[in-house]
């Protein structure tokens, strides 16, 4: 960094606040536009509503996924101390990958968990996890230091690795049945939502 | 909570601020995308515009409902002191249930307050009230303590219970006429919007 | 106000901050969803693009209008000192009336400034100005006091009155030609955007 | 500025915060609604998905562009010290020009990088750069002063000029092949995303 001018990179937490606010806005929109795929049926009738269950199920799963990213992002950014060019762009890439989730969700719901749609969905959800690894490694390097921060990053890295492996297992399983792939994705979502417990000690 | 690392749970009000900001974003989008259902008629004419009244009425009612949740959420969060995993997820569930309101509103408006659409609408509006009870009980337990906080939570719980009972009465009444169900929902909305007054003493 | 519990009404500027943030979110969405009406033509060709000019013109005018409300809201809220029930609901009503602007804009653009569409548009833009008067009177009564605040409110009330009269003139003029109505609305927008100058002294 | 009343213009950084928050909201929505153009194909099949590549490519390019504006805006506003009428309206014009990007992007993607669509796209992306020049010159004049601020503004002006020249070269090149025009736009995007390095010294 040979930037001679004070270009926001050195301003500390205030700069972080605006990156958080922008991320909150993007994630809030991503999470909410997915519900637009729930088109109300053109004729009344409980059977017509019931036929929406794949779209609804896809929405629930994706909502949980994006919510998990927000929660983890929220915690991760408490460890950031200043804004760097690398941090901003790693965050932009993460938001970009999350913005593809509504597309994959609509595809999954419209094609009723068809095998190809499930594979596309699993592949799309893999992208933010890669982007998140990059973002975390930047904050680990440039953010708060010390044993507590180190313990947090080590634990999150292990949890992330475990989640990704469980998740990757869903791809071959989808060839047996798309529902096995979806089950893996749902398990990963549950894994992240679970209240913190002695279970977390497994990842220390 | 045996979490060994400072993962944002202990950071106090700043963490709260970001949960509020994210909730504001989601609620702002929910409230605004409902207006997208007001499709401009393809031909000019006051009769064509007038035919939009059910969609408009459904929008007004849902706008009032979501606005009430925002106002109550705004007040409730002044009692929160720190972010816990339970708080974040109870809030995420509340936002999820609110995100279904635009769907139920579109269905209600498009099918002109048909009985089944009214029942779906009433059932959908019941979900956030259940999620709100859970969120409030978490903040009551983990947030600010003391007689004033206790009085606030006791009053809100009573008001919430009264509103829910009034609301539930709308479901059987919808079988007589959907308009009776809608009237109950409208009464509940009015009940929450009313300026605070000696009426509130009924709920102390 | 006989509310016995500290329910956010007495918390001062922090409560104001969240009302501002929510309003910013809603206005940002309103302003942006209007651009969704600019549907790209299905075939290439400059004539097809050129045919979009009424939609584009309606968008520019409405963008300016909503932006003016945001700017005035931004300034008005620097005079608010605490959140009251009346303030929150007057603000919610203002945001509701603004949320109808995209509908009236789409109607105006799609029907190429037809007389009826122009009348609906002018009538819709009148609603937020009424809601704003109410909001301002609440902040004038409950917010910052003193000669400077008084001068601000007096000047804004006069400017608002002048703008509304100019605006109202557009309604009968639309019967001569819709373009005269639109010209009045555009004049009002220009009037608010103008840099502050000695012209402002006319309204002291 | 002969404004006799304290109308928010003199309040310093807090007023800036709200302009930033509003801008964040608008940019977050712009960046996210572009993904709505990625309509999931109605039948399953990898070839149908593959046919979406022009829409996807247009989205990636526009996302990068809007993200760059956000990053530069974020840095520029660290130099602002107080809100003026000119600052607010220059910012509103910038946000307006950015709001046209989703339209031009949809047009580009739907017409598969047709020459005319590419020219419209390049012309649309030029508008925010003009608006940004105006905004920067206002902040340069009214914001933080001193050698560091001066160096920042001088460097950014040079980088902006270089980017615009590179960008303008794309317009005649599009007549040879639209891909040459797109390549220029992509080069400009890369130029802004690049990590800061000794390369920046060229623009001191």
């Amino acid at each position: 960094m040979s930037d001679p001018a004070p270009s926001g990179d050195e301003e500390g937490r205030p700069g972080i606040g605006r990156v958080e606010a922008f991320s909150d806005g993007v994630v809030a929109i991503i999470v909410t536009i997915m519900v637009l795929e729930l088109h109300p049926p053109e004729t009344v009738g409980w059977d017509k509503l019931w036929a929406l269950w794949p779209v609804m199920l896809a929405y629930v799963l994706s909502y949980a996924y994006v919510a998990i990213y927000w929660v983890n992002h929220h915690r991760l950014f408490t460890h950031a101390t200043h804004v760097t060019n690398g941090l901003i762009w790693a965050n932009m890439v993460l938001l970009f990958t999350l913005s593809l989730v509504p597309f994959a969700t609509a595809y999954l719901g419209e094609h009723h968990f068809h095998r190809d749609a499930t594979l596309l969905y699993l592949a799309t959800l893999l992208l933010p996890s890669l982007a998140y690894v990059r973002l975390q490694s930047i904050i680990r390097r440039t953010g708060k230091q010390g044993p507590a921060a180190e313990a947090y990053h080590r634990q999150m890295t292990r949890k992330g690795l475990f989640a990704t492996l469980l998740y990757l297992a869903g791809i071959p399983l989808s060839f047996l049945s798309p529902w096995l792939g979806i089950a893996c994705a749902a398990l990963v979502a549950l894994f992240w939502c679970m209240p913190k417990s002695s279970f977390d000690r497994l990842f220390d």
Side-chain angles (χ1 to χ4, degrees), chain A:
Chain A
M1 282 286 205
S2 63
D3 185 11
S7 58
D9 283 14
E10 296 79 32
E11 70 181 325
R13 298 291 303 169
I16 291 289
R18 204 174 158 198
V19 176
E20 288 179 337
F22 180 71
S23 308
D24 287 355
V26 173
V27 173
I29 299 158
I30 288 170
V31 116
T32 322
I33 60 178
M34 285 193 293
V35 88
L36 292 176
E37 282 301 311
L38 271 173
H39 301 295
E42 301 208 348
T43 54
V44 197
W46 299 109
D47 52 330
K48 291 276 161 62
L49 279 172
W50 177 247
L52 287 175
W53 73 262
V55 184
M56 185 69 193
L57 182 59
Y59 175 49
V60 172
L61 192 55
S62 293
Y63 184 94
Y65 250 89
V66 179
I68 287 163
Y69 274 102
W70 186 84
V71 173
N72 287 346
H73 188 275
H74 169 85
R75 291 193 180 151
L76 179 59
F77 266 69
T78 63
H79 290 85
T81 52
H82 60 287
V83 175
T84 64
N85 210 39
L87 175 80
I88 282 188
W89 284 104
N91 193 52
M92 282 292 182
V93 169
L94 174 63
L95 296 177
F96 177 81
T97 58
L98 285 172
S99 81
L100 300 176
V101 172
F103 169 75
T105 306
Y107 194 64
L108 184 69
E110 277 174 33
H111 298 303
H112 291 205
F113 295 82
H114 182 283
R115 197 196 62 196
D116 291 356
T118 306
L119 287 171
L120 180 77
Y121 183 73
L122 294 173
T124 304
L125 286 191
L126 208 55
L127 298 176
S129 74
L130 298 176
Y132 192 84
V133 165
R134 174 107 186 92
L135 182 63
Q136 172 144 11
S137 81
I138 287 174
I139 292 184
R140 190 178 195 166
R141 205 177 59 241
T142 64
K144 282 186 198 158
Q145 302 296 324
E150 198 45 44
Y152 164 74
H153 287 297
R154 207 167 45 232
Q155 193 197 35
M156 289 302 281
T157 305
R158 285 180 193 172
K159 283 180 88 167
L161 194 67
F162 177 79
T164 307
L165 289 177
L166 185 56
Y167 192 85
L168 280 173
I171 292 177
L173 287 170
S174 295
F175 285 93
L176 292 175
S177 159
W179 293 107
L180 289 172
I182 295 298
C184 285
L187 264 179
V188 171
L190 273 177
F191 166 75
W192 282 110
C193 301
M194 268 191 307
K196 288 182 181 175
S197 66
S198 54
F199 175 76
D200 268 12
R201 264 178 265 155
L202 293 176
F203 297 98
D204 285 341

Short mmCIF file of all heavy atoms in Angstrom, two decimals, chain A residues 13 16 20 72-81 139 144 152:
data_model
loop_
_atom_site.label_atom_id
_atom_site.label_comp_id
_atom_site.label_asym_id
_atom_site.label_seq_id
_atom_site.Cartn_x
_atom_site.Cartn_y
_atom_site.Cartn_z
N ARG A 13 -12.87 2.11 12.35
CA ARG A 13 -14.23 1.60 12.47
C ARG A 13 -15.29 2.37 11.67
O ARG A 13 -16.19 1.74 11.14
CB ARG A 13 -14.63 1.49 13.94
CG ARG A 13 -13.77 0.52 14.75
CD ARG A 13 -13.96 -0.94 14.40
NE ARG A 13 -15.35 -1.35 14.54
CZ ARG A 13 -15.85 -2.49 14.10
NH1 ARG A 13 -15.09 -3.36 13.49
NH2 ARG A 13 -17.12 -2.79 14.27
N ILE A 16 -15.62 0.94 8.41
CA ILE A 16 -16.21 -0.40 8.56
C ILE A 16 -17.73 -0.29 8.62
O ILE A 16 -18.45 -1.06 8.00
CB ILE A 16 -15.66 -1.08 9.84
CG1 ILE A 16 -14.19 -1.43 9.68
CG2 ILE A 16 -16.48 -2.32 10.20
CD1 ILE A 16 -13.94 -2.57 8.72
N GLU A 20 -20.50 -2.30 6.40
CA GLU A 20 -21.55 -3.11 7.02
C GLU A 20 -22.94 -2.67 6.54
O GLU A 20 -23.77 -3.50 6.20
CB GLU A 20 -21.49 -2.99 8.54
CG GLU A 20 -20.32 -3.71 9.18
CD GLU A 20 -20.27 -3.54 10.69
OE1 GLU A 20 -20.85 -2.54 11.20
OE2 GLU A 20 -19.66 -4.37 11.37
N ASN A 72 -23.08 -14.70 10.19
CA ASN A 72 -21.63 -14.89 10.25
C ASN A 72 -20.87 -13.62 9.86
O ASN A 72 -19.84 -13.29 10.46
CB ASN A 72 -21.22 -16.07 9.36
CG ASN A 72 -21.63 -17.41 9.97
OD1 ASN A 72 -21.98 -17.49 11.15
ND2 ASN A 72 -21.63 -18.46 9.16
N HIS A 73 -21.39 -12.91 8.87
CA HIS A 73 -20.80 -11.66 8.41
C HIS A 73 -20.81 -10.63 9.55
O HIS A 73 -19.81 -9.95 9.82
CB HIS A 73 -21.62 -11.15 7.22
CG HIS A 73 -21.04 -9.97 6.50
ND1 HIS A 73 -21.26 -8.69 6.89
CD2 HIS A 73 -20.27 -9.90 5.38
CE1 HIS A 73 -20.66 -7.87 6.05
NE2 HIS A 73 -20.05 -8.58 5.12
N HIS A 74 -21.94 -10.55 10.21
CA HIS A 74 -22.12 -9.66 11.36
C HIS A 74 -21.05 -9.92 12.42
O HIS A 74 -20.43 -9.01 12.95
CB HIS A 74 -23.53 -9.92 11.91
CG HIS A 74 -23.84 -9.30 13.23
ND1 HIS A 74 -24.27 -8.02 13.36
CD2 HIS A 74 -23.79 -9.82 14.49
CE1 HIS A 74 -24.49 -7.75 14.64
NE2 HIS A 74 -24.21 -8.82 15.34
N ARG A 75 -20.81 -11.21 12.73
CA ARG A 75 -19.81 -11.55 13.75
C ARG A 75 -18.40 -11.30 13.25
O ARG A 75 -17.56 -10.79 13.97
CB ARG A 75 -19.96 -13.02 14.16
CG ARG A 75 -21.25 -13.19 14.91
CD ARG A 75 -21.33 -14.52 15.60
NE ARG A 75 -22.63 -14.56 16.28
CZ ARG A 75 -23.31 -15.66 16.53
NH1 ARG A 75 -22.81 -16.83 16.16
NH2 ARG A 75 -24.47 -15.60 17.14
N LEU A 76 -18.18 -11.69 12.00
CA LEU A 76 -16.83 -11.54 11.43
C LEU A 76 -16.40 -10.07 11.45
O LEU A 76 -15.27 -9.75 11.81
CB LEU A 76 -16.84 -12.06 9.99
CG LEU A 76 -15.53 -11.95 9.21
CD1 LEU A 76 -14.41 -12.71 9.91
CD2 LEU A 76 -15.71 -12.50 7.79
N PHE A 77 -17.33 -9.17 11.10
CA PHE A 77 -16.97 -7.76 10.99
C PHE A 77 -16.70 -7.11 12.35
O PHE A 77 -16.11 -6.03 12.40
CB PHE A 77 -18.03 -6.98 10.20
CG PHE A 77 -17.66 -6.88 8.75
CD1 PHE A 77 -17.68 -8.00 7.94
CD2 PHE A 77 -17.24 -5.67 8.19
CE1 PHE A 77 -17.31 -7.92 6.60
CE2 PHE A 77 -16.86 -5.58 6.87
CZ PHE A 77 -16.90 -6.71 6.07
N THR A 78 -17.11 -7.75 13.45
CA THR A 78 -16.71 -7.20 14.75
C THR A 78 -15.21 -7.35 14.94
O THR A 78 -14.64 -6.73 15.84
CB THR A 78 -17.44 -7.89 15.92
OG1 THR A 78 -17.05 -9.27 15.94
CG2 THR A 78 -18.94 -7.79 15.78
N HIS A 79 -14.56 -8.18 14.11
CA HIS A 79 -13.11 -8.35 14.20
C HIS A 79 -12.34 -7.46 13.24
O HIS A 79 -11.12 -7.44 13.26
CB HIS A 79 -12.73 -9.81 13.95
CG HIS A 79 -13.15 -10.72 15.05
ND1 HIS A 79 -14.41 -11.26 15.12
CD2 HIS A 79 -12.51 -11.14 16.16
CE1 HIS A 79 -14.52 -12.00 16.21
NE2 HIS A 79 -13.38 -11.93 16.87
N ALA A 80 -13.06 -6.77 12.36
CA ALA A 80 -12.38 -5.89 11.40
C ALA A 80 -12.04 -4.58 12.10
O ALA A 80 -12.81 -4.08 12.93
CB ALA A 80 -13.27 -5.62 10.20
N THR A 81 -10.90 -4.03 11.79
CA THR A 81 -10.50 -2.78 12.43
C THR A 81 -10.39 -1.62 11.45
O THR A 81 -10.52 -0.47 11.84
CB THR A 81 -9.14 -2.93 13.14
OG1 THR A 81 -8.22 -3.49 12.19
CG2 THR A 81 -9.26 -3.85 14.34
N ILE A 139 -9.68 -10.55 6.93
CA ILE A 139 -9.94 -9.94 8.25
C ILE A 139 -9.05 -10.59 9.32
O ILE A 139 -8.58 -9.92 10.23
CB ILE A 139 -11.44 -10.03 8.58
CG1 ILE A 139 -12.21 -9.10 7.62
CG2 ILE A 139 -11.71 -9.64 10.04
CD1 ILE A 139 -13.68 -8.98 7.87
N LYS A 144 -8.51 -7.44 14.12
CA LYS A 144 -8.07 -7.63 15.52
C LYS A 144 -7.17 -8.84 15.64
O LYS A 144 -7.42 -9.87 15.03
CB LYS A 144 -9.30 -7.83 16.41
CG LYS A 144 -10.02 -6.54 16.73
CD LYS A 144 -11.12 -6.78 17.75
CE LYS A 144 -12.10 -5.62 17.72
NZ LYS A 144 -13.42 -6.00 18.26
N TYR A 152 -11.42 -17.47 17.64
CA TYR A 152 -12.63 -17.30 16.84
C TYR A 152 -12.39 -17.73 15.39
O TYR A 152 -13.15 -18.51 14.82
CB TYR A 152 -13.09 -15.83 16.88
CG TYR A 152 -14.08 -15.47 15.80
CD1 TYR A 152 -15.40 -15.89 15.87
CD2 TYR A 152 -13.68 -14.74 14.68
CE1 TYR A 152 -16.31 -15.58 14.86
CE2 TYR A 152 -14.58 -14.44 13.67
CZ TYR A 152 -15.89 -14.86 13.77
OH TYR A 152 -16.78 -14.56 12.78
#
